[in-house]
Amino acid sequence: SQQGEEDPQALSIQEGENATMNCSYKTSINNLQWYRQNSGRGLVHLILIRSNEREKHSGRLRVTLDTSKKSSSLLITASRAADTASYFCATPHYGGSQGNLIFGKGTKLSVKP
Amino acid sequence: KAGVTQTPRYLIKTRGQQVTLSCSPISGHRSVSWYQQTPGQGLQFLFEYFSETQRNKGNFPGRFSGRQFSNSRSEMNVSTLELGDSALYLCASSLAIQHTGELFFGEGSRLTVL
């Protein structure tokens, strides 16, 4: 099965609210990444957190990583309609190289104005 | 700096035909990876190229192949197309092949097989 599994599969919130997405993985990792995809477009890298980090911030994004539980969360604060997209976590394939990532099925976020 | 460019953006083929998709990485990036995205299977790794050599391959049949040229541009080919090959094919580039770092994705080539 896939390395990363996000939940929820879909999330609908109002503008200004916070959105939290979770990701679980199965094997040991040295980093975990989050990507965003607008409908039918390419993926955009949001943030990378290394296995020795517990929390990382980038603008309105906050990512946490719990290696003991093999889980990560992505928090988007003060969401905007423009945040509407699908969000994916990705981990390196065990023994693989940078380009060989395993993606979860994603969380589809809808932010209503 | 120009991003990753994929061509064509959209194409329609019929079963049994073959298709070639092209990817031009960001200038200076030497690693190119390909992914297939479908509603049912999600994003799946196809293969990765570095310095004109295939470094990794995903679990896809031999009908899926690729190559990389000396200027780092890459092509992937799918022969004897099947309906299930309908998907968004995404190309991503990165500076090198080390174990950490972000990927830069193109907008994808959407293939429809009739």
Side-chain angles (χ1 to χ4, degrees), chain B residues 8 24 26 30 42 44 56 59 61-62 71 85 94 98 100-101 105:
Chain B
S24 293
I26 290 173
R30 297 172 61 194
Q44 296 188 89
N56 289 289
N59 188 24
N71 61 358
D85 296 333
S94 60
Q98 73 269 19
T100 60
F105 282 83

Side-chain angles (χ1 to χ4, degrees), chain B residues 11-30:
Chain B
L11 66 167
I12 300 173
K13 294 284 187 179
T14 56
R15 277 180 298 175
Q17 287 187 311
Q18 74 165 13
V19 66
T20 299
L21 309 178
S22 179
C23 172
S24 293
I26 290 173
S27 177
H29 284 194
R30 297 172 61 194

